[in-house]
Amino acid sequence: MTKHWFITGISRGLGLALAKAALARGDTVVGTVRSGAPPIEAEAGKLHVLMLDVTDGAAITAAVDEAFRLAGGRLDVVVNNAGYGLLGALEDATDAEAERLFATDVFGPFKVIRAALPRLRAQGEARIVNITSIAGRAPGAASALYAAAKYALEGLTASLHQEVAPLGVKVTAVAPGAFRTDFLSAHSIRLSETRAEGYGGTVGKASHAFSSMAGQQRGDPDRAARALLRIVDAPDPPLNLLLGSDALRRARAKHAAVEAEIDTWEDLTISTDFPEVEAR
């Protein structure tokens, strides 16, 4: 059965690859871009492109309404993909940089979901896919605010799953590692100007690694798109999905470290409970 998709941010990267993959199998895609036209060839009536800045709440509501109209009143899959990264030392980030990042990467998806949910619930069946990042599960240096934004989207997804799963709406947070897209270009990454001293071995090292990685990432966006098709078709999709061997390695290392720390401090953790009162 063909599906009707609403995907934010289809002009490049994973959003573009996903739109192409869905269209290639005969699905209908309503996708958003901030400007221009995405490099996609599609059968007439299968692709609809809307201009949208996901920091504009009123525009989001209008775009979601239009997407339902263009899709004949039903959206099967809503994908929150639009976003960007902010790299650099935390103390170098400005208020404006932090606020715009959260407006795009957290409040944008929140507003898309809020606008779509009444009709998704009424359908009794739908999928929501939130593209987060391995940075939201296993952060590294030089990405504190980006990790914070993706952590927020991860938490939103986990709680939303518990709210809407009984209503037929299935939710997945997808955390990609490094994929060979232009994510590290100026289109998708903002760099805070480095002013603070003493971060050469942490932020500086991480920033250099990001720069040298561009064009060498292990992840294939077309393979990632095919993986996303599988989860939206699966009768019981995962709540959390990692994409890429690097994401898997980082997630396992983080989980192991957390488990070890929990065990180390378990006595102190449980010491804060009220002492048991002996029965009189």
Side-chain angles (χ1 to χ4, degrees):
M1 182 180 295
T2 60
K3 288 182 167 61
H4 295 86
W5 297 67
F6 179 67
I7 308 172
T8 63
I10 66 166
S11 60
R12 60 180 63 89
L14 182 56
L16 174 61
L18 180 56
K20 287 181 174 179
L23 290 164
R25 70 175 195 173
D27 290 352
T28 298
V29 172
V30 182
T32 75
V33 298
R34 291 193 65 190
S35 62
I40 302 175
E41 294 183 4
E43 180 183 340
K46 288 293 187 178
L47 173 65
H48 306 277
V49 179
L50 305 178
M51 298 295 176
L52 177 64
D53 179 345
V54 295
T55 66
D56 185 336
I60 286 175
T61 300
V64 170
D65 288 343
E66 180 66 1
F68 274 99
R69 187 190 70 79
L70 291 168
R74 179 185 179 89
L75 290 174
D76 300 292
V77 188
V78 173
V79 182
N80 283 299
N81 170 72
Y84 69 95
L86 178 66
L87 302 180
L90 175 68
E91 71 175 276
D92 284 335
T94 66
D95 288 352
E97 287 175 327
E99 289 164 6
R100 180 157 186 82
L101 179 70
F102 273 74
T104 303
D105 288 13
V106 180
F107 291 104
F110 155 63
K111 292 173 183 178
V112 168
I113 294 168
R114 184 178 61 182
L117 264 181
R119 278 171 285 197
L120 299 182
R121 287 190 294 102
Q123 291 172 188
E125 182 180 7
R127 307 295 176 95
I128 297 173
V129 178
N130 293 328
I131 306 300
T132 66
S133 169
I134 187 58
R137 299 185 192 178
S143 60
L145 285 172
Y146 180 61
K150 293 304 185 179
Y151 254 108
L153 189 54
E154 290 269 334
L156 181 153
T157 306
S159 184
L160 178 66
H161 161 73
Q162 297 181 56
E163 296 178 9
V164 300
L167 307 176
V169 180
K170 298 178 180 180
V171 187
T172 300
V174 177
F179 277 76
R180 202 168 298 178
T181 67
D182 65 350
F183 180 76
L184 294 175
S185 73
H187 291 299
S188 301
I189 283 287
R190 306 290 187 272
L191 298 173
S192 293
E193 181 182 353
T194 301
R195 296 179 298 273
E197 297 180 354
Y199 289 113
T202 54
V203 175
K205 183 178 179 180
S207 297
H208 176 73
F210 284 129
S211 298
S212 62
M213 185 191 304
Q216 305 298 317
Q217 300 95 324
R218 293 181 60 88
D220 180 341
D222 293 328
R223 288 175 178 263
R226 292 197 290 272
L228 295 183
L229 294 184
R230 285 185 58 185
I231 67 165
V232 301
D233 291 342
D236 188 20
L239 170 58
N240 301 289
L241 180 70
L242 295 163
L243 290 180
S245 59
D246 58 331
L248 180 62
R249 173 183 53 78
R250 287 174 59 176
R252 282 181 167 161
K254 172 66 181 297
H255 291 166
V258 169
E259 287 292 336
E261 189 172 65
I262 288 173
D263 291 343
T264 298
W265 295 95
E266 180 178 355
D267 288 346
L268 185 61
T269 297
I270 62 178
S271 72
T272 58
D273 291 353
F274 281 108
E276 293 182 0
V277 179
E278 294 182 2
R280 295 179 180 178

